[in-house]
Amino acid sequence: MATPKAKTEFDIIIYGSTGYTGRLVAEYLDKHYSGRDDGPKWAMAGRSQDKLEAVRDEIGAPADTPLVVADADDMASLEAMCHRTKVVLTTVGPYQLYGDNLVAACVKTGTDYADLSGEPAWMAEKIEQHEADAKKSGARICFSSGFDSIPFDLGVLMAQKEATKRWGKPAPSIRGRVRAMAGTFSGGTAASLGATMKAMAKNPKLINVMRSPFALTPGFEGPSQPSGMIPSYEKDLDKWAAPFVMAPINTKNVHRTNFLLGHPYGEDFKYDEMMLTSPGDAGKKMAEAATEMMKNPFGAKPPKPGEGPSKEERENGFYDILFVADMPDGESLHYSVKGKYDPGYGSTSRMLSETGIALTQSDAPGGIGTPGSFLGEALVKRLEEHAELTFTAEN
């Protein structure tokens, strides 16, 4: 097995620093870690030196903040960038359009990688293409290191830890339920969904990949899963539940973590995600409206890549996710993950940054994995200490 890089010029390079989310990642690392002896050595990267200089100045980063020019279409520039760092954090999506070369460069050079991908068909393709080589080179390729899917991936991980502590075994079934959320979709998320829809139109086989909860567990097919696509009244919570737009990617990542860790949740594990509305007829109508909205989640004018909420909107955002672990005898436990800031931007930029730092401190072997499989509780601790997330057993 290849060993992780020991000595590089940088610990972290943020690729896509001139984009909306990449800029937030650079801003976070500068505000929280610049000038600290124990902080990572980091650099900003993108296609244009002029734009990098402008963004560096706009966010108030020091004038000597290192800048690296690299282009997604220029393999040589990507490999040169990878040789200079332990970890590349990339916000340049849709990844199915702009991510192929960077993943290949990281795998080849043994460089760790984390992104914000919510594109399971592309992720499945990368697993097939690169997993064996990533294991050889020592590169940890960590997809979905933002709101999709860290709160859900790590929420299930910690809920199962609590279940095992309480009952001596994991829960065979967990429900992920978004209790409350204030925030907006990113232009990148809308663009990723659009690119995925176009890809499915060209290649209908991808429809099955998108539908399968086990699309990211090659060689393993678990039990039939709850669909999460039909409004339902949840008696124990006294609320209606509606489809959740991120569920098709989050559920796949939860099952991949279970798969990569050797099925600590069990091979018969069932998991689904929905949004809670309210009790009674009002809640039912809201759930039905949310189901209808799933046909076109971004509306007539989806946000464009590079667009996003104001600083005030980002700072006023939040999310509250409940995980209900159900046992066959009727016992259950409630576990929550709560986060400050807009989930798609303010919190996601913090999660991606802390994933990068955690990777520099991890001795996990190379491969293509998830935040849960590579980092687990070490990342939970970082997120609680630095990113204002809380992980709590409620009963």
Side-chain angles (χ1 to χ4, degrees), residues 25 28 89 114-116 144-152 154 319 321 337 339-358 371 375 379 382-383 386-389 391:
V25 176
Y28 177 82
L89 303 180
D115 70 15
L116 303 173
S144 305
S145 303
F147 188 69
D148 46 336
S149 297
I150 280 178
F152 305 90
L154 296 183
Y319 50 92
I321 306 159
V337 177
K340 284 184 66 176
Y341 310 111
D342 177 279
Y345 295 99
S347 189
T348 276
S349 58
R350 288 163 168 78
M351 286 188 272
L352 182 62
S353 300
E354 294 299 337
T355 296
I357 297 171
L375 302 168
L379 182 55
R382 287 207 69 88
L383 295 173
H386 302 287
E388 299 188 70
L389 274 75
F391 293 76

Side-chain angles (χ1 to χ4, degrees), residues 150-152 154-156 158-159 179 318-323 334-341 347 351 379-394:
I150 280 178
F152 305 90
L154 296 183
V156 172
M158 296 304 290
R179 286 191 289 205
F318 66 90
Y319 50 92
D320 175 358
I321 306 159
L322 172 69
F323 297 90
H334 288 189
Y335 196 95
S336 70
V337 177
K338 298 177 183 179
K340 284 184 66 176
Y341 310 111
S347 189
M351 286 188 272
L379 182 55
V380 170
K381 186 177 179 182
R382 287 207 69 88
L383 295 173
E384 288 193 312
E385 289 179 353
H386 302 287
E388 299 188 70
L389 274 75
T390 60
F391 293 76
T392 312
E394 294 191 344

Side-chain angles (χ1 to χ4, degrees), residues 259-276:
F259 171 75
L260 291 173
L261 293 178
H263 292 106
Y265 313 159
E267 293 191 1
D268 59 349
F269 177 62
K270 294 183 179 182
Y271 175 68
D272 72 303
E273 286 176 7
M274 299 184 80
M275 282 184 66
L276 296 177

